[in-house]
Amino acid sequence: MNEQKTKKSYLVDAEGYYGEFGGAYIPEILNKCVTDLRNVYLDIIQDDAFQKEYNQLLRDYVGRPSPLYLAKRLSARYGGRIYLKREDLNHTGAHKINNTIGQILIARRMGKTRIIAETGAGQHGVATATVCALMNMECIVYMGKLDVERQQVNVQRMKMLGATVIPVTSGNMTLKDATNEAIRDWVCHPEDTFYIIGSTVGPHPYPDMVARLQSVISKEIKGQMMEKEGRDTPDYLIACVGGGSNAAGTIYHYVDDEKVKIILTEAGGKGIDTELTAASISLGLEGIIHGSKTILLQDADGQIQEPYSISAGLDYPGVGPFHANLAAHKRAKVMVVDDDEALRAAFELTRLEGIIPALESAHALGVLNKIPHFKDEDVVVICLSGRGDKDIHTYLDNQQRIEKKYAD
Ligand SMILES: *Cc1c(COP(=O)(O)O)cnc(C)c1O
C-alpha cells in the first residue's frame, strides 16, 4: 500500500477511494459486516494457502489460463495484430466464475455458512450457485421477477445447482431491485451470511476485491504477450463495461502504465439520444448507488433512471468507481456501442473467426469499425468476456434485419 502513496496510481487508495469515487456509503447496521470484510480481505487474498487453493481451482475447475488467441481474419480487416482473451472458454461461460470462486473461498475463511447474491440476466447467479454447489454452501439468489420470467434457462440452472431463487417484486422488478433486496437480507443476517457481489460495484472493499480476483486476466495476458510478441505490454486493451469487472481484470496490471491505451465500451442501447440506454459513464452524473460514490444515470430530481440495453449484463444504471475515475482523468477512452452495432459485431466475429460471442462482449468488438485502422505493428487485446450460447435467440431474431441494415 505504501507504494501507492509515493507513486500516482489508478488503483484503490488506503481509504477505499479512486480519486473522488468509491468509499462505503452504507446503513449503520451493515457497518460491522463491511468493516469485518475490509479488515481481512487483503490478508486472506495474499495468504499463500488461499493463493494455492484459488489458483488450483482456476486451473482445474475453471480451465485457466484462458487462451490468448490471435484473430487473423479480424486483424486483416481492422489492422494490427488483434488478440482475443478467451474468457468465453471458462466453466459456466464467462469471466464471472473467477470472482465467485475467490469470494466463496474468502467467505469460508471468514466462517460464513450462507451465501447470498443478486443477479440480472442470471449469469452471476449461475456462477454463484455453481461455487456454492462445489463448496456445499447454502445459496440464495435474488432476481427481479421480470428477469426471472425473461431468463428461464438460467433460473433452471440455478435451481438444478441447488440454489433458492427469490423473485423480487419491488420497483421495476429488475437488477437494481434485486440488489436492494440482497442488501436487505444481509442486514437481517449479518452474522452467518456472505454477500457475493458480481461486479466491481458496491461499498469498499468490494470494487477492489473483485478487481483483484479478476486481475488473473491481465496477469495471464502479460505472460502470454511475452511468449507471443516478445514484450509484455500491448498497445491497446479493449473491454466492455457493465459494472466493470471484466474490464478491471483486463487492465489491472497495466493501468498505471500510460503507454497502454485503454478503450472501455458501454452499452448505448437504442442510442444515447434516447431514454433507452445504459451509457452510464457518458450520460451519468455523480451520485451514490449501492454503497458507492460513482457516476450513474439519473433524472433531474436525482432519481435513478432505469437503464436499457439489449445485453442484460450491461443493463446497469451505474458503473464501478474505478472506471468512473479512469474516465474522469481520461486514462481510459470511453466509447458507446449501441444494440445494432453490437449485433453487427457479433455476426462479424462469428463468420470471421467461428466464435459466437456473448452480447456483452460484442459491445467491445463493436468499436473496431468506429476507430481508425490499426498500424501494422499495433498489438490489440480484446477481452472476450463470455460466450454467446445464452444469446442465440436474440441473434436469430435479429439476423436478417441486421444483415440488411449493414449490407454494403
Ligand atoms: C456480466 C457480464 C458482463 C458485464 O459485467 P462486468 O462486471 O462489467 O464485466 C460482461 N460480459 C459478460 C459475458 C457477462 O456475463
Side-chain angles (χ1 to χ4, degrees):
M1 292 287 103
N2 277 339
E3 190 189 331
Q4 294 183 10
K5 287 229 169 70
T6 51
K7 184 172 151 276
K8 177 169 149 51
S9 174
Y10 290 99
L11 298 175
V12 76
D13 70 19
E15 277 73 49
Y17 281 83
Y18 301 84
E20 60 184 298
F21 302 105
Y25 298 81
I26 47 172
E28 179 74 34
I29 191 162
L30 281 181
N31 203 38
K32 184 172 182 307
C33 288
V34 173
T35 307
D36 284 351
L37 181 61
R38 178 179 173 165
N39 287 340
V40 299
Y41 84 106
L42 283 178
D43 286 343
I44 292 178
I45 290 177
Q46 286 161 3
D47 176 60
D48 287 344
F50 174 91
Q51 280 296 326
K52 185 161 178 241
E53 189 175 10
Y54 178 55
N55 288 316
Q56 216 156 45
L57 284 168
L58 289 181
R59 191 187 65 210
D60 299 335
Y61 188 72
V62 175
R64 304 201 72 92
S66 67
L68 187 69
Y69 165 69
L70 175 60
K72 290 213 178 95
R73 294 184 66 203
L74 197 66
S75 305
R77 182 164 296 180
Y78 292 110
R81 285 192 296 289
I82 302 175
Y83 288 89
L84 303 176
K85 182 60 172 160
R86 300 288 311 272
E87 296 300 300
D88 61 313
L89 295 177
N90 293 340
H91 179 44
T92 69
H95 65 293
K96 289 207 167 69
I97 190 100
N98 305 327
N99 171 46
T100 58
I101 292 229
Q103 284 197 50
I104 205 161
L105 293 178
I106 293 171
R108 235 181 26 181
R109 279 165 172 74
M110 291 180 73
K112 307 288 181 180
T113 53
R114 183 173 174 271
I115 299 294
I116 59 171
E118 84 295 336
T119 197
Q123 295 301 107
H124 173 58
V126 169
T128 304
T130 298
V131 297
C132 286
L134 179 68
M135 299 291 165
N136 191 25
M137 295 249 243
E138 184 185 359
C139 181
I140 290 131
V141 179
Y142 290 93
M143 188 169 185
K145 184 164 169 282
L146 196 66
D147 291 331
V148 170
E149 286 157 12
R150 289 194 290 202
Q151 305 289 338
Q152 269 302 311
V153 174
N154 276 342
V155 173
Q156 296 306 335
R157 289 167 82 194
M158 286 184 264
K159 288 185 175 166
M160 184 165 172
L161 287 158
T164 304
V165 179
I166 301 189
V168 174
T169 54
S170 56
N172 292 59
M173 308 191 208
T174 58
L175 176 60
K176 169 173 63 66
D177 314 294
T179 306
N180 290 338
E181 210 56 42
I183 292 173
R184 214 160 288 154
D185 177 313
W186 204 21
V187 166
C188 297
H189 305 91
E191 284 305 316
D192 64 344
T193 297
F194 190 96
Y195 180 14
I196 297 189
I197 294 184
S199 190
T200 43
V201 300
H204 177 66
Y206 278 98
D208 183 48
M209 179 169 67
V210 175
R212 283 171 190 266
L213 295 172
Q214 291 291 359
S215 72
V216 62
I217 298 173
S218 55
K219 189 173 142 215
E220 287 175 3
I221 294 173
K222 284 206 146 192
Q224 291 166 325
M225 276 282 306
M226 203 45 147
E227 200 179 287
K228 290 170 200 293
E229 292 287 337
R231 54 170 159 131
D232 69 357
T233 51
D235 299 288
Y236 292 86
L237 289 170
I238 303 176
C240 68
V241 176
S245 68
N246 86 88
T250 303
I251 67 177
Y252 192 88
H253 289 99
Y254 294 112
V255 71
D256 291 330
D257 179 353
E258 306 260 359
K259 290 192 300 298
V260 180
K261 298 178 195 75
I262 297 171
I263 300 176
L264 303 176
T265 73
E266 52 177 2
K270 301 281 188 200
I272 55 169
D273 47 358
T274 73
E275 299 243 299
L276 296 173
T277 180
S280 40
I281 306 178
S282 303
L283 297 175
L285 299 170
E286 199 177 300
I288 290 168
I289 182 169
H290 299 137
S292 178
K293 188 200 274 189
T294 185
I295 301 172
L296 57 135
L297 295 173
Q298 47 191 304
D299 64 22
D301 300 325
Q303 291 297 314
I304 294 170
Q305 187 186 312
E306 205 57 36
Y308 162 82
S309 165
I310 194 169
S311 142
L314 303 182
D315 199 350
Y316 184 70
V319 64
F322 179 31
H323 309 69
N325 187 51
L326 294 178
H329 288 94
K330 301 199 161 41
R331 172 65 185 95
K333 183 177 170 68
V334 177
M335 296 185 69
V336 178
V337 171
D338 69 22
D339 288 358
D340 286 358
E341 291 167 337
L343 287 165
R344 187 206 63 78
F347 292 120
E348 179 178 68
L349 185 76
T350 302
R351 297 306 293 268
L352 283 180
E353 300 288 347
I355 299 170
I356 302 176
L359 256 172
E360 292 81 7
S361 323
H363 284 75
L365 298 161
V367 296
L368 290 174
N369 71 347
K370 305 180 96 174
I371 56 183
H373 204 76
F374 293 115
K375 297 201 280 288
D376 285 349
E377 64 274 21
D378 282 341
V379 173
V380 181
V381 175
I382 303 176
C383 184
L384 199 69
S385 54
R387 67 177 85 128
D389 308 27
K390 68 187 176 58
D391 300 312
I392 205 73
H393 291 297
T394 309
Y395 287 148
L396 294 179
D397 288 347
N398 286 283
Q399 184 157 17
Q400 279 191 346
R401 184 179 64 78
I402 293 296
E403 280 171 0
K404 201 177 275 171
K405 178 169 173 177
Y406 291 99
D408 301 317

